Amino acid sequence: MLREIRPAILILLLLTAITGLAYPLAMTAVAGAIFPKQAQGSLIEKDGKVIGSALIGQEFKDDKYFHGRPSATSAPDPADPSKTVPAPYNAANSGGSNLGPTSKALADRIKEDVDKLRTENPSSPVPVDLVTTSGSGLDPDISPEGALFQVPRVAKARNLPEARVRELVAEHTQSRMAGLLGEPRVNVLALNLALDEASK
């Protein structure tokens, strides 16, 4: 019996070392050499300080900034760890709300968001991505339509011409990958940083 168990244990240890240590370390080294920025999390720095990532959204509430998609991520309630509280863009707890199309809570939340956005820009239809969460809750991008919808509010709050803010949206609109994959998108953090620069 020991003769059968010993090879099995040796193979388990060998495969654990190869697939659990050697391969991940090799891939990390290759990624760091070929794509150093992406391997470090696509971090964005300002004045030598990391202020975010191009891959993870952030919550912007001030009217002078573009707002991203809603986020349904949560975190443990500090007052009662058995419960959760909303924690938008919580990368430690990525996920959607799990609310389906028949959910009253979801319908009420979307209606409330649509009504609020309509007061902001009553002449335009509300883009769907401004009221729906992504599957991860971490989406850093909005559609160009979502960005253009917010131009009047941002321009007014910044005392900038709407045409100048639209130019910034156009400059930060990324097209489909290889012209085929995905949809045109605008990274909210990058756009807001450009907006800060333009307002100086």
Side-chain angles (χ1 to χ4, degrees):
M1 182 172 155
L2 189 59
R3 278 183 10 192
E4 287 88 20
I5 293 175
R6 184 178 295 150
I9 292 172
L10 288 175
I11 289 175
L12 173 67
L13 293 175
L14 180 65
L15 289 176
T16 300
I18 292 171
T19 61
L21 292 173
Y23 180 76
L25 290 173
M27 290 300 102
T28 301
V30 169
I34 298 174
F35 305 108
K37 184 174 170 64
Q38 291 88 337
Q40 295 300 317
S42 299
L43 301 177
I44 296 175
E45 294 184 11
K46 182 178 181 183
D47 302 325
K49 182 182 173 188
V50 174
I51 58 167
S53 167
L55 304 175
I56 298 175
Q58 293 184 26
E59 187 173 31
F60 293 95
K61 290 187 174 182
D62 198 314
D63 282 349
K64 68 180 185 175
Y65 288 111
F66 285 88
H67 303 161
R69 292 184 74 170
S71 173
T73 58
S74 60
D77 187 341
D80 182 359
S82 67
K83 297 179 181 174
T84 59
V85 293
Y89 304 103
N90 178 9
N93 193 20
S94 171
S97 67
N98 290 331
L99 299 177
T102 59
S103 167
K104 182 173 179 351
L106 177 63
D108 290 345
R109 200 259 314 146
I110 289 176
K111 183 181 182 318
E112 183 181 316
D113 288 353
V114 167
D115 291 344
K116 181 182 173 202
L117 288 168
R118 280 195 178 132
T119 62
E120 209 177 275
N121 189 351
S123 61
S124 298
V126 176
V128 71
D129 60 313
L130 294 184
V131 295
T132 56
T133 61
S134 66
S136 69
L138 306 176
D139 197 344
D141 303 320
I142 56 175
S143 65
E145 296 79 19
L148 291 170
F149 179 88
Q150 300 179 64
V151 164
R153 170 182 48 80
V154 172
K156 182 180 177 186
R158 295 252 181 186
N159 200 22
L160 286 172
E162 286 189 21
R164 175 64 185 124
V165 180
R166 279 194 189 89
E167 282 175 20
L168 287 171
V169 170
E171 289 168 14
H172 287 83
T173 298
Q174 302 169 28
S175 58
R176 291 179 168 91
M177 190 184 304
L180 298 170
L181 303 174
E183 293 294 325
R185 64 206 180 281
V186 179
N187 186 282
V188 178
L189 177 57
L191 178 58
N192 284 334
L193 288 173
L195 196 56
D196 282 342
E197 286 297 314
S199 298
K200 286 184 178 177

